[in-house]
Amino acid sequence: MSNQTEHGSSNGGQTQDLLQPGRPAPDFNLRAKPDESFSLADFRGRPLILAFYPADWSPVCGDQMALYNQVLPEFERYGAAIVGISVDGPWCHLAFATDRNLRFPLLSDFEPKGEMARQYGVYDYAKGTSERALFVLDGEGVIRWSYVSPSEINPGADGILRALEAIAEPSPA
């Protein structure tokens, strides 16, 4: 697979630091629920989709997470896991995930606020939230694809599925 980065419109000029494909993904350890957390190591050995989004309860974010919930069987067909990430706290994520019947974890990039988004180059300093950004990591934790979408547009799942398909293809000898 050729490593790819795609950019929608830049949100506040902050995408210049977007982590590029081919780089190891920064480690993380974030809460999904008040009593549950996840780290990058928890997903080692399988592709991982990182779906950064601005905030729970906003219309576009709700639609985006609902879409990924519907497409979850397709992601799993490639052996991939997905996590949603925003600056909302774990209690807010718990209420949002319960209300939307989400079957994947939402990680809280709450304290220090936006630290993970900053590490991935997708923190919107003007709004105090992450940008709407997607990363697909391979089973070794290497970024294979990334995309930043305008915050008002649901980026869908097509790019994610193409990246997962490319990871699954055997490398030419």
Side-chain angles (χ1 to χ4, degrees):
M1 166 184 176
S2 65
N3 291 326
Q4 299 177 307
T5 298
E6 300 177 33
H7 295 276
S9 67
S10 173
N11 194 355
Q14 295 301 315
T15 57
Q16 69 273 9
D17 296 330
L18 177 73
L19 290 187
Q20 300 298 309
R23 290 193 52 185
D27 199 6
F28 60 85
N29 188 356
L30 299 176
R31 291 200 180 282
K33 296 178 182 171
D35 61 348
E36 178 182 43
S37 59
F38 288 95
S39 70
L40 183 58
D42 292 325
F43 300 98
R44 198 61 85 186
R46 65 189 295 200
L48 176 62
I49 304 152
L50 304 176
F52 288 88
Y53 63 101
D56 294 338
W57 306 106
S58 71
V60 177
C61 296
D63 290 348
Q64 181 184 5
M65 295 303 112
L67 172 66
Y68 297 155
N69 205 46
Q70 290 176 327
V71 180
L72 192 58
E74 284 298 306
F75 297 156
E76 290 171 344
R77 191 169 66 89
Y78 291 101
I82 182 171
V83 295
I85 305 154
S86 81
V87 297
D88 293 304
W91 288 107
C92 187
H93 278 334
L94 180 59
F96 181 66
T98 300
D99 182 73
R100 303 299 169 103
N101 297 313
L102 299 180
R103 298 182 322 271
F104 59 89
L106 301 178
L107 304 182
S108 178
D109 194 10
F110 185 71
E111 189 59 41
K113 185 179 181 187
E115 181 62 27
M116 184 175 174
R118 284 178 184 56
Q119 289 178 6
Y120 281 77
V122 296
Y123 188 73
D124 184 329
Y125 290 87
K127 294 181 181 175
T129 63
S130 67
E131 296 187 60
R132 192 173 308 285
L134 300 168
F135 293 86
V136 175
L137 314 180
D138 65 19
E140 300 301 313
V142 175
I143 298 168
R144 297 291 297 270
W145 178 82
S146 58
Y147 177 77
V148 176
S149 175
S151 64
E152 67 279 1
I153 297 176
N154 181 342
D158 291 344
I160 295 169
L161 291 169
R162 282 192 303 271
L164 291 172
E165 183 176 309
I167 289 170
E169 291 175 0
S171 299

